[in-house]
Amino acid sequence: MKITSLTALQVLDSRGNPTVEADLTLEGGATGRALVPAGASTGEKEAVELRDNDPMRYGGKGVLHAVVNVEGEIAKALLGQDLADQADLDHRLIALDGTPNKSRLGANAILAVSMAYARALAAANGKPLYRQLTDQTSYVLPVPCLNVLNGGRHADNNVDFQEFMIASHNAPSFSESIRMSVETFHALKALLKQKGYYTGVGDEGGFAPNLKSNEEAVELLLEAIGHAGFRPGHDISLCLDPAASELYEAGEAGQPGRYRLFKSTGQCYTSEQFNELWVSWVNQYPIVLLEDGMGENDWPGWQLHTKSLGSKIELVGDDIFCTNPAILQAGIDQHIANSVLIKLNQIGTVTETLDTVHLAQRNHYNQFVSHRSGETEDTFVADLTVAIGAGHLKTGSGSRSERIAKFNQLLRIERELGSAGHFAGIKAFKNQ
Ligand SMILES: C=C(OP(=O)(O)O)C(=O)O
Ligand SMILES: [Mg+2]
């Protein structure tokens, strides 16, 4: 379908940094708008976000060049062209950019157009976005994984690991799962207050107190689950994203690298020791999913990690795969992880994101859909999760509207689907 107008605007994300919004109109008048999120603990092989690097404006983080690219070169190449479908549009964008990582036009410019086109097609076809992405008779509603305690690069506290999530899987529906989750979030706030801990929140809306240890973060979550009236492991389990790439220091001159708990004790671990830490946590606590337990440049460590835990819980590759089908294929070949994190802006088009999803599905890898730490009010990931039947997504906590927006969209989808929507429950998690 032909695009008749394409505009872009520099808007702000949840950290107050500029990001790209695109507005697109199709012949016939259907419109689509999309906003692109941004990461902080990014994988090295992510598609490149174009930033202006003008220190006098937004500390160098402006996206006016990306905006100009949408309204200039991209619009010129696309306006009035006969576009067969989403894949046709995305392949034209990839070819126009001409680089392997979208560094010329910017993945932020390209993705904004790609997502806006998907929305406009949905509007033109009179379909909800999830149905535009995949037309099915029934859909799976995901278990929401709420990042209720933040550390690492997402918070100015002394917790080394980035994300401590709760997954309310023993629920009859998505809406009941969300209720259980936010009740636990509120119980956690009361518990932190009672212990005299700080209740301010980090980038993803989870609490960000200084704690006595990283283990205490897990113990607080388990206690809060109990206080809210639920059984840890039975009703609500834990998911972790320690974002280990941020803790990994490469070894010099062929020496093995090591992991350092740089925010708390400074303690260092070899790859084997770090894997052992996760094995002991999984034995001790009701953890059903562990993302980026090892660093993106530690493939032997990841192999060991997968051997140790890959038949017990879900091991998700985020930084190591970057939602990139070629890298995921290499990971599958080398028996790394059993699940892939799905972040649209790591790869930069809707079509390539779906390519990664299909590759994972063909190889029995789970897909865990994710927000970014710098988010917007755009709810694309909610529809994407339902469209691909991923069964679980991570976004938000119990605060911050840019995250809650995704849950609210899923509540609308749940109502709209009625009996054609089924809550995923514990089976959403690999090996459960
Ligand atoms: C959501 C994450 O953080 P960021 O967006 O900062 O990469 C993550 O690491 O999974
Ligand atoms: Mg991650």
Side-chain angles (χ1 to χ4, degrees):
M1 210 174 275
K2 282 181 187 159
I3 300 172
T4 56
S5 94
L6 176 57
T7 60
L9 187 65
Q10 174 170 270
V11 295
L12 296 177
D13 72 15
S14 58
R15 275 193 281 252
N17 291 327
T19 191
V20 181
E21 172 180 278
D23 275 297
L24 183 153
T25 309
L26 297 177
E27 60 179 342
T31 61
R33 167 175 290 172
L35 290 83
V36 173
S41 62
T42 48
E44 286 172 15
K45 300 207 169 70
E46 292 195 16
V48 175
E49 254 174 8
L50 205 61
R51 298 272 173 197
D52 297 339
N53 297 323
D54 174 356
M56 303 303 286
R57 299 186 69 81
Y58 293 110
K61 292 188 173 148
V63 293
L64 290 175
H65 284 103
V67 165
V68 165
N69 287 346
V70 174
E71 296 198 334
E73 204 176 326
I74 294 177
K76 190 162 166 250
L78 296 180
L79 288 185
Q81 296 293 312
D82 265 319
L83 301 170
D85 53 18
Q86 182 79 44
D88 185 16
L89 170 96
D90 289 341
H91 289 133
R92 285 175 195 238
L93 287 167
I94 294 163
L96 185 66
D97 173 76
T99 69
N101 56 7
K102 305 185 176 64
S103 56
R104 197 177 74 77
L105 295 171
N108 41 359
I110 291 171
L111 181 62
V113 176
S114 177
M115 287 163 59
Y117 188 69
R119 279 230 169 78
L121 283 181
N125 293 328
K127 288 178 181 175
L129 179 57
Y130 60 88
R131 199 173 281 287
Q132 174 63 35
L133 294 172
T134 65
D135 208 343
Q136 298 167 196
T137 46
S138 68
Y139 289 90
V140 175
L141 288 152
V143 177
C145 300
L146 280 71
N147 181 9
V148 294
L149 206 144
N150 296 182
R153 277 205 193 279
H154 292 171
D156 294 324
N157 59 357
N158 67 353
V159 177
D160 296 288
F161 304 144
Q162 186 177 283
E163 302 175 18
F164 295 83
M165 293 171 265
I166 51 169
S168 303
H169 46 74
N170 189 25
S173 62
F174 174 78
S175 42
E176 277 300 284
S177 171
I178 277 290
R179 177 185 67 79
M180 292 163 63
S181 303
V182 295
E183 285 177 7
T184 303
F185 177 75
H186 294 138
L188 179 61
K189 182 169 186 175
L191 181 64
L192 292 173
K193 259 192 191 159
Q194 182 198 322
K195 290 185 184 281
Y197 286 149
Y198 172 68
T199 55
V201 297
D203 285 1
E204 296 191 349
F207 300 112
N210 281 322
L211 298 177
K212 295 189 193 80
S213 66
N214 294 307
E215 284 78 3
E216 193 186 9
V218 172
E219 277 148 19
L220 284 164
L221 259 57
L222 298 178
E223 206 175 332
I225 292 168
H227 285 194
F230 305 112
R231 290 159 294 179
H234 186 272
D235 300 316
I236 304 182
S237 295
L238 304 184
C239 306
L240 303 178
D241 177 9
S245 304
E246 303 295 325
L247 309 173
Y248 188 69
E249 296 169 352
E252 276 172 31
Q255 292 300 305
R258 58 190 189 168
Y259 295 85
R260 184 195 293 274
L261 302 187
F262 64 93
K263 289 178 91 180
S264 61
T265 57
Q267 193 179 341
C268 288
Y269 295 78
T270 64
S271 220
E272 291 76 14
Q273 290 165 340
F274 206 55
N275 177 55
E276 277 312 309
L277 175 81
W278 298 128
V279 171
S280 76
W281 277 40
V282 168
N283 287 336
Q284 224 176 316
Y285 303 122
I287 295 168
V288 290
L289 178 152
L290 179 52
E291 172 187 331
D292 281 2
M294 307 302 278
E296 65 188 305
N297 293 321
D298 184 12
W299 284 53
W302 255 109
Q303 279 175 324
L304 173 68
H305 188 53
T306 308
K307 256 193 203 139
S308 303
L309 290 171
S311 60
K312 288 194 175 145
I313 61 165
E314 180 161 338
L315 298 179
V316 186
D318 171 13
D319 290 352
I320 192 167
F321 297 146
C322 290
T323 318
N324 183 313
I327 307 177
L328 176 61
Q329 183 64 63
I332 292 167
D333 294 343
Q334 296 186 44
H335 304 289
I336 283 181
N338 56 28
S339 177
V340 56
L341 201 75
I342 300 295
K343 289 170 166 167
L344 287 144
N345 77 323
Q346 282 186 325
I347 187 71
T349 62
V350 172
T351 299
E352 289 163 290
T353 303
L354 293 174
D355 289 345
T356 300
V357 166
H358 296 145
L359 177 64
Q361 288 171 343
R362 286 196 301 276
N363 289 278
H364 311 291
Y365 270 48
N366 272 15
Q367 310 101 53
F368 190 34
V369 181
S370 174
H371 61 167
R372 298 305 309 242
S373 51
E375 258 301 329
T376 74
E377 63 271 34
D378 192 295
T379 58
F380 201 103
V381 290
D383 284 72
L384 177 68
T385 306
V386 173
I388 64 174
H392 50 352
L393 94 161
K394 66 167 186 176
T395 179
S397 61
S399 69
R400 297 191 64 137
S401 287
E402 77 278 3
R403 326 268 152 193
I404 297 291
K406 281 64 166 174
F407 297 142
N408 289 344
Q409 174 68 357
L410 285 163
L411 289 167
R412 290 180 205 112
I413 294 175
E414 179 183 50
R415 185 178 63 179
E416 187 173 285
L417 283 173
S419 60
H422 309 280
F423 181 61
I426 188 66
K427 288 204 167 58
F429 298 87
K430 193 90 185 167
N431 297 315
Q432 302 303 308

